[in-house]
Amino acid sequence: MNQHEQNQLRCGVVVLVSGRGSNLQAIINAVRSGRLPAEIRAVISSEPGAPALARARTAGIPTYTIDHREFATREQFDQALMRRIDACNPRAVVLAGFMRILGNAFIDHYAGRLINIHPSLLPAFPGLNTHARALQSGASHHGASVHFVTHEVDGGPIIIQAAVPVLPGDTPETLAERVLGEEHRIYPLAIRWFLDGRLSVEGGRVLLDGQQRPEQGLTHQETAHSDTPETG
Ligand code: NHR
Ligand code: GAR
């Protein structure tokens, strides 16, 4: 196998979306600027007409819609998704605002290479409506978590988190926007770590270069910035 073929095996990514696609856009931008050595082989949406699909097309990435409403069962939807993904032979499968809970057969099939970004500081606020729930709780900080996906929804090992302050007068929308800025920073970085083979999981915790990062569970702007020059 030559170098090019090895890279192809190493760097293929499929992104699953359901909506706006701003995280997809951050990943596309990171690939374009050379910060993320990846090949986005396909973007697959569970929702016809998701704005994320237009972003992918604009970037020249093949798009597919697998509308969950067209399947009688969740298992059948998952199977259709798996067939489409496997045709792309990706190294990593990345959920970016993907809104359908995936069944165990799907999770097992992609174990160790399925990654999600969730808009809260897990384990706080798994599930939906995280920003409103964070505000309601009176928390001083909120944020986002990138994690490996396991059977337990939003419960898999955490790769990186970033925190933002909750500010006086915040609404779910203003808080979401502040969190989103951090999502766009940490997701390409986490995917890069994964594709570079720098992540491992031991005892349910993620190691970077074989080390448990002392900041795990907290924001760590230093690490992120030293690896990833900010491009705005
Ligand atoms: N699947 C598994 N097995 N494990 C995880 O950790 C998953 C997952 C699928 C999606 C993303 C997650 C998030 O980051 C995610 C993680 C959707 C729901 C949900 O309740 C919950 C968590 C996440 C995504 N979805 C409803 C459902 O019935 C539909 C909601 C809707 O369409 O608006 O699937 O938050
Ligand atoms: C992001 O905040 C992402 O973390 C969250 O939805 C938003 C999608 O935005 N994901 C979930 O809530 C998954 N259930 P985007 O489509 O612009 O990336």
Side-chain angles (χ1 to χ4, degrees), residues 17-22 45-47 49-53 55 96-99:
V17 299
S18 301
R20 169 182 53 186
S22 72
S45 176
S46 61
E47 294 291 332
L53 290 167
R55 294 181 191 266
F98 184 72
M99 294 309 293

Side-chain angles (χ1 to χ4, degrees), residues 102-118:
L102 297 159
N104 288 350
F106 185 101
I107 303 299
D108 292 342
H109 188 67
Y110 300 106
R113 56 195 179 107
L114 182 59
I115 302 175
N116 179 44
I117 188 157
H118 178 78

Side-chain angles (χ1 to χ4, degrees), residues 144-196:
S145 309
V146 180
H147 65 93
F148 285 112
V149 176
T150 61
H151 293 186
E152 188 192 346
V153 175
D154 298 326
I158 293 167
I159 299 167
I160 187 172
Q161 293 182 306
V164 301
V166 175
L167 300 178
D170 261 342
T171 63
E173 291 73 29
T174 60
L175 184 54
E177 194 180 310
R178 196 172 308 123
V179 170
L180 204 59
E182 290 301 295
E183 294 186 37
H184 298 164
R185 187 173 69 78
I186 64 175
Y187 211 5
L189 177 64
I191 296 165
R192 180 181 184 142
W193 286 345
F194 176 77
L195 293 176
D196 282 348

Side-chain angles (χ1 to χ4, degrees), residues 57-211:
R57 282 188 209 107
T58 299
I61 300 164
T63 60
Y64 305 90
T65 298
I66 299 182
D67 183 347
H68 61 90
R69 296 171 200 83
E70 289 177 4
F71 298 86
T73 67
R74 283 183 179 262
E75 289 70 27
Q76 284 166 8
F77 168 73
D78 287 1
Q79 288 296 330
L81 210 49
M82 283 164 65
R83 274 195 296 276
R84 187 60 255 166
I85 295 167
D86 286 349
C88 303
N89 194 27
R91 172 80 188 93
V93 179
V94 165
L95 309 185
F98 184 72
M99 294 309 293
R100 302 300 299 175
I101 291 176
L102 297 159
N104 288 350
F106 185 101
I107 303 299
D108 292 342
H109 188 67
Y110 300 106
R113 56 195 179 107
L114 182 59
I115 302 175
N116 179 44
I117 188 157
H118 178 78
S120 78
L121 293 173
L122 291 170
F125 313 119
L128 305 176
N129 302 316
T130 57
H131 307 301
R133 287 156 63 207
L135 281 178
Q136 179 60 35
S137 77
S140 66
H141 286 76
H142 184 44
S145 309
V146 180
H147 65 93
F148 285 112
V149 176
T150 61
H151 293 186
E152 188 192 346
V153 175
D154 298 326
I158 293 167
I159 299 167
I160 187 172
Q161 293 182 306
V164 301
V166 175
L167 300 178
D170 261 342
T171 63
E173 291 73 29
T174 60
L175 184 54
E177 194 180 310
R178 196 172 308 123
V179 170
L180 204 59
E182 290 301 295
E183 294 186 37
H184 298 164
R185 187 173 69 78
I186 64 175
Y187 211 5
L189 177 64
I191 296 165
R192 180 181 184 142
W193 286 345
F194 176 77
L195 293 176
D196 282 348
R198 296 176 64 186
L199 301 180
S200 56
V201 180
E202 248 178 58
R205 306 197 56 143
V206 175
L207 307 182
L208 174 65
D209 300 331
Q211 307 274 328

